[in-house]
């Protein structure tokens, strides 16, 4: 495992249109760190710069304090897992995993041991002699992961590795990747546009927007306390209430409410749908609203409600029957009503 330091990285493919604009961040040894953002935000470009597959226009990268910015990919002690697996279809599972080790000059019993150890880590030791085309998508991704792990990289780089899998396999592989990284204390940097993937797996994460870091922190920090509207919306459903912010309160079209924190220049408040509760009439701090519609999801229902001409979402677990036009009473959790601009 290694510490990673990214300092002032810049990259443009077209002059005057930066893909990465002065990006800096640090990843601690053994950390599973996520780069999250929409298509075109620069996250995959940053990963490829770390791998040495793309050259930065400016800035530097250090692994454990050693500047590796100008080193070729094979000298960086970094291994990459690609979205499309990048396996050799004519080779066996064993030979695919052995490929990187052979390039490093590993031979004989040591080669056999390292390959089988990597396959055992991903629970594919019994498939060493199988050909790649005979494997499922999930098994092929495990082979790609084993190949990267076999060279015992200081840094493991993963570029949207689960995007080609179905939902069930994605869930399974999320658990496997998390398990492997933690068991090996593997420093890993993982690129995805899937917020659920990042929130459920990351130790820390950075949300990228327009080539820069919009916010950095733990999944819970970013979800509960987004720095801006973009981060709030990208990480999940969220309500924004326009209003007048003053003295730690916001005045909206349907009432005045305390805010969890002050933000200079704030002109709205934000709150997640699950932080709004249905309560009895007369409850302190409650306000009346009208049910517009509901989307039943089994263990929860996403309600669309309206108060003072403002529409917003409320997520309720184990919800009773409610109908369009019903008058209900709602209350905010004051710890999660955030000032925002």
């Amino acid at each position: 495992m290694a510490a990673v330091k990214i300092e002032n990285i810049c990259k443009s493919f077209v002059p005057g249109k930066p893909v990465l604009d002065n990006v800096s961040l640090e990843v601690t040894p053994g950390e599973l760190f996520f780069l999250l953002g929409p298509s075109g935000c620069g996250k995959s470009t940053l990963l490829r710069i770390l791998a040495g597959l793309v050259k930065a226009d400016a800035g530097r990268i250090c692994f454990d304090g050693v500047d590796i910015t100008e080193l070729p990919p094979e000298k960086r002690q970094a291994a990459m897992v690609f979205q499309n697996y990048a396996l050799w279809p004519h080779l066996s599972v064993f030979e695919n995993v052995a490929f990187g080790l052979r390039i490093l000059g590993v031979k004989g019993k040591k080669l056999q041991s390292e390959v089988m150890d990597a396959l055992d880590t991903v629970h594919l030791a019994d498939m060493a002699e199988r050909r790649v085309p005979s494997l499922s998508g999930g098994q092929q991704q495990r082979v790609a992961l084993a190949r990267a792990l076999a060279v015992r990289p200081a840094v493991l780089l993963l570029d949207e590795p689960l995007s080609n899998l179905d939902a069930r396999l994605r869930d399974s592989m999320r658990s496997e990747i998390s398990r492997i990284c933690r068991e090996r204390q593997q420093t890993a940097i993982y690129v995805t546009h899937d917020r659920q993937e990042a929130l459920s797996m990351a130790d820390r994460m950075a949300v990228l927007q327009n080539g820069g870091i919009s916010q950095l922190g733990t999944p819970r920090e970013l979800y509960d306390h987004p720095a801006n509207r973009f981060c709030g919306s990208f990480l999940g459903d969220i309500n924004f209430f326009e209003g007048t912010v003053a003295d730690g309160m916001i005045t909206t079209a349907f009432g005045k409410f305390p805010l969890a924190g002050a933000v200079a220049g704030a002109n709205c408040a934000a709150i997640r749908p699950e932080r709004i509760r249905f309560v009895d009439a007369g409850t302190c701090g409650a306000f009346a609203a009208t049910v517009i519609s509901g989307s039943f999801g089994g263990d929860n229902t996403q309600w669309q409600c309206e108060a003072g001409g403002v529409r917003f979402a409320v997520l309720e677990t184990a919800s009773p029957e409610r109908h369009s036009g019903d008058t209900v009473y709602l209350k905010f959790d004051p710890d999660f009503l955030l000032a925002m601009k």
Side-chain angles (χ1 to χ4, degrees), residues 318-335:
S319 58
E321 287 279 350
R322 302 186 193 278
H323 304 93
S324 177
D326 285 354
T327 297
V328 294
Y329 293 87
L330 303 169
K331 185 176 180 179
F332 299 137
D333 184 332
D335 291 337

Side-chain angles (χ1 to χ4, degrees), residues 309-321:
V310 178
R311 288 199 177 194
F312 52 91
V314 182
L315 185 66
E316 183 183 31
T317 58
S319 58
E321 287 279 350

Side-chain angles (χ1 to χ4, degrees), residues 73-88:
E74 66 273 16
K75 300 292 186 181
R76 294 190 174 209
Q77 289 190 293
M80 194 158 177
V81 179
F82 296 92
Q83 179 179 346
N84 63 354
Y85 319 144
L87 300 174
W88 302 103

